[in-house]
């Protein structure tokens, strides 16, 4: 096989070396050996990510400041924020578990939204992206560690476990959380690393991004 | 005869190296240097992948016992109540005819971690002993395992939510127990084991075989 590295491509899952082919929009290029998806085209990826990250950051606020559930037994009531599911374990001495919940259900999702906003804003408005490379690395390494959808399923299971022994009310926080999950899921679909790295290359050629 | 290329050749065999972070192709001689596009350190394969993956997997298997034997939470009402293990919680759900929820928790908390550990053993053995059968199925298995493993955190979130919500003093309150820590660490370790596992190693033995076959062919002709 001959050619410069620019005309060649290697599969990230099985290291098969191939010649690059051009693909149509909405057409995936699949590795012939291990069937991994090599690259694909996402239409208006940056603009969609910008819109989604703004919507996500807005929704993040009500999801975290309004209670997700409240419970009433014998006239006593108790309501719960996402943060409190971590805090109460912390007080109970399960520090590690509390920290994991804090990370996976609050810190990582928030970070992902902020990073996504930074990347899409920088690329869309052609700003100087001093932290662009760090942002890309962070986002790619954080993939899979934001677990809002699992947290939501956890809330639903808790509701079913408690519904016989107490009166439960779903709070505004839970609806915001559900909407936020739609946003984060869509944004992970529209995040096309291959294409964004290519855009970063183009911006660098125009001298917008500083060399390391 | 010898001009004919084998069907599949890896980038490494051809003197190339792929940046795992931004997927830019470099020359193999740049091993250990920084990628000129994204700045990540270039490695043809993840360094110490097998050792790290085996180590975290074995630790996860060992911790899976206390994770299932120790209680994860205690429900107390008017001073009475007993600690619950993960399996105990599932049986409790099934007894109350909450079949669907019971099954979801059973799959997420016990079936998925167990299957994930078995899958990682199969994959690590494939690389360790240079097995080269059903590689495509194994690649698919890895993708499924990597995607589904995080759902094991479900029970941890349920414990967190219940502990926070049911704090009604003497009437009823729930507290977390050490089993939850063990279980959370099992999930973390299996996720880490999959992250450091370099899937490209699965295919290296098949590539090596092709190269050997080619060399033998040459010698015969």
């Amino acid at each position: 096989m001959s050619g410069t590295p620019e005309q060649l491509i290697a599969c990230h899952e099985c290291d098969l070396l191939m010649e690059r082919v051009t693909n149509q929009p909405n057409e995936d290029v699949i590795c012939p050996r291990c069937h991994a998806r090599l690259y694909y085209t996402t239409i208006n990826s940056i603009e969609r990510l910008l819109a989604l990250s703004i919507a996500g950051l807005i929704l993040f606020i009500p999801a975290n400041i309004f209670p997700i559930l409240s419970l009433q037994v014998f006239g006593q009531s108790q309501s719960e924020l996402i943060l409190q599911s971590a805090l109460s374990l912390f007080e109970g001495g399960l520090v590690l578990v509390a920290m994991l919940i804090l990370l996976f259900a609050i810190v990582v999702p928030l970070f992902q939204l902020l990073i996504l906003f930074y990347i899409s804003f920088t690329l869309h408005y052609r700003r100087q992206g001093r932290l662009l490379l760090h942002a890309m690395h962070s986002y790619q390494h954080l993939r899979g560690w934001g677990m809002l959808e699992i947290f939501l399923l956890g809330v639903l299971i808790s509701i079913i476990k408690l519904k016989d022994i107490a009166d439960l009310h779903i709070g505004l926080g839970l609806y915001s959380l559900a909407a936020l999950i739609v946003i984060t899921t869509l944004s992970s679909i529209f995040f096309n690393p291959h294409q964004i790295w290519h855009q970063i290359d183009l911006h660098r050629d125009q001298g917008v991004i500083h060399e390391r | 005869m010898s001009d004919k290329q084998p069907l599949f050749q890896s980038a490494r065999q051809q003197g190339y190296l792929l940046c795992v972070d931004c997927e830019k192709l470099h020359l193999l001689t740049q091993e250990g240097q920084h990628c000129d596009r994204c700045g990540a350190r270039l490695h043809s394969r993840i360094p110490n992948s097998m050792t790290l993956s085996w180590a975290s997997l074995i630790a996860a298997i060992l911790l899976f016992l206390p994770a299932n034997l120790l209680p994860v939470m205690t429900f107390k009402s008017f001073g009475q109540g007993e600690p619950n293990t993960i399996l105990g919680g599932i049986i409790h759900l099934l007894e109350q005819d909450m079949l669907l929820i019971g099954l979801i928790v059973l799959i997420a908390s016990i079936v998925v971690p167990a299957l994930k550990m078995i899958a990682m053993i199969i994959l690590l053995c494939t690389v360790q002993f240079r097995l080269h059968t059903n590689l495509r199925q194994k690649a698919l298995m890895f993708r499924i395992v990597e995607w589904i493993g995080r759902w094991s955190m479900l029970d941890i979130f349920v414990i967190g939510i219940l502990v926070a919500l049911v704090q009604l003093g003497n009437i009823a309150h729930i507290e977390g127990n050490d089993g939850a820590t063990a279980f959370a660490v099992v999930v973390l370790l299996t996720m880490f084991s999959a992250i450091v596992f370099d899937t490209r190693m699965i295919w290296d033995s098949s590539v090596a075989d092709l190269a050997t076959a080619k060399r033998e062919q040459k010698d015969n002709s």
Side-chain angles (χ1 to χ4, degrees), chain B residues 124-180:
Chain B
L124 284 164
C125 285
T126 302
V127 178
Q128 193 85 59
F129 303 113
R130 299 174 177 280
L131 309 175
H132 40 75
T133 50
N134 304 329
L135 293 183
R136 198 171 283 161
Q137 280 99 312
K138 284 171 185 165
L140 179 65
M141 182 170 77
F142 180 81
R143 264 168 241 151
I144 294 169
V145 150
E146 198 189 23
W147 180 82
I148 213 167
R150 44 206 287 282
W151 285 90
S152 305
M153 280 299 287
L154 180 66
D155 230 28
I156 297 295
F157 287 136
V158 172
I159 293 165
I161 294 158
L162 289 179
V163 170
L165 201 55
V166 187
Q167 292 291 349
L168 302 167
N170 229 351
I171 302 172
H173 85 120
I174 295 180
E175 60 189 41
N177 297 118
D178 288 337

Side-chain angles (χ1 to χ4, degrees), chain A residues 74-129:
Chain A
F74 300 121
Q76 283 206 47
S77 74
Q78 177 90 26
S79 61
E80 178 185 15
L81 304 175
I82 298 177
L83 184 64
Q84 278 164 334
S85 51
L87 286 183
S88 58
L89 283 177
F90 190 82
E91 285 160 9
L94 297 180
V95 180
L96 184 73
V97 185
M99 274 170 56
L100 289 181
I101 294 182
L102 187 69
L103 278 176
F104 297 159
I106 299 177
V107 178
V108 172
L110 176 63
F111 242 76
Q112 283 178 317
L113 288 169
L114 287 171
I115 292 171
L116 216 50
F117 175 74
Y118 177 79
I119 293 171
S120 51
F121 185 86
T122 308
L123 290 176
H124 184 73
Y125 291 105
R126 292 163 192 281
R127 295 301 167 92
Q128 284 191 351

Side-chain angles (χ1 to χ4, degrees), chain A residues 155-164 168, chain B residues 93 98 101:
Chain A
V155 176
L156 298 181
I157 287 174
S158 306
I159 292 174
I160 292 167
K161 278 192 169 188
L162 292 174
K163 72 176 180 359
D164 289 340
L168 285 166
Chain B
L93 279 175
M98 297 187 204
I101 295 299

Side-chain angles (χ1 to χ4, degrees), chain B:
Chain B
M1 171 69 224
S2 59
D3 286 343
K4 208 177 173 196
Q5 299 275 358
L7 190 54
F8 292 131
Q9 289 242 315
S10 76
R12 184 156 77 169
Q13 272 194 317
Q14 297 285 300
Y16 291 106
L17 175 163
L18 189 76
C19 173
V20 280
D21 278 58
C22 71
E23 300 194 9
K24 183 175 175 169
L25 206 58
H26 296 266
L27 293 173
L28 197 57
T29 48
Q30 288 172 287
E31 170 89 34
Q33 297 174 13
H34 290 281
C35 173
D36 59 8
R37 173 156 77 177
C38 74
R41 203 173 270 278
L42 295 171
H43 292 292
S44 172
R45 299 288 179 269
I46 298 173
N48 303 323
S49 172
M50 288 295 283
T51 316
L52 290 172
S53 194
W54 268 124
S56 39
L57 179 68
I58 291 168
I61 292 170
L62 293 178
L63 267 174
F64 198 52
L65 276 176
N68 279 290
L69 295 176
L70 292 177
V72 289
M73 64 178 171
T74 310
F75 177 82
K76 275 185 184 157
S77 185
F78 298 110
Q80 285 193 325
E82 56 187 57
N84 255 315
T85 59
I86 287 182
L87 200 59
I90 295 165
I91 291 167
H92 189 69
L93 279 175
L94 294 178
E95 275 172 352
Q96 290 182 309
D97 285 334
M98 297 187 204
L99 199 62
L100 184 67
I101 295 299
L103 279 179
I104 290 174
V105 180
L106 179 70
I107 289 169
S109 308
I110 294 179
V111 178
V112 166
L115 283 182
K116 185 168 181 177
M117 287 188 260
I118 292 168
M120 283 311 296
I121 291 173
I122 293 172
L123 289 165
L124 284 164
C125 285
T126 302
V127 178
Q128 193 85 59
F129 303 113
R130 299 174 177 280
L131 309 175
H132 40 75
T133 50
N134 304 329
L135 293 183
R136 198 171 283 161
Q137 280 99 312
K138 284 171 185 165
L140 179 65
M141 182 170 77
F142 180 81
R143 264 168 241 151
I144 294 169
V145 150
E146 198 189 23
W147 180 82
I148 213 167
R150 44 206 287 282
W151 285 90
S152 305
M153 280 299 287
L154 180 66
D155 230 28
I156 297 295
F157 287 136
V158 172
I159 293 165
I161 294 158
L162 289 179
V163 170
L165 201 55
V166 187
Q167 292 291 349
L168 302 167
N170 229 351
I171 302 172
H173 85 120
I174 295 180
E175 60 189 41
N177 297 118
D178 288 337
T181 305
F183 190 81
V185 175
V186 168
V187 180
L188 268 189
L189 283 171
T190 53
M191 283 179 78
F192 184 73
S193 175
I195 284 174
V196 294
F197 181 76
D198 195 332
T199 50
R200 293 174 293 188
M201 295 186 306
I202 302 175
W203 302 88
D204 281 345
S205 58
S206 72
V207 164
D209 286 347
L210 275 171
T212 321
K214 192 188 168 191
R215 216 176 300 123
E216 279 168 1
Q217 248 171 6
K218 246 183 196 171
D219 292 345
N220 291 340
S221 61

Side-chain angles (χ1 to χ4, degrees), chain A residues 45-58 117 120 183:
Chain A
S45 167
I46 300 294
E47 288 71 21
R48 285 179 181 182
L49 289 179
L50 186 58
L52 285 170
S53 59
I54 294 171
L57 285 169
I58 294 171
F117 175 74
S120 51
I183 299 282

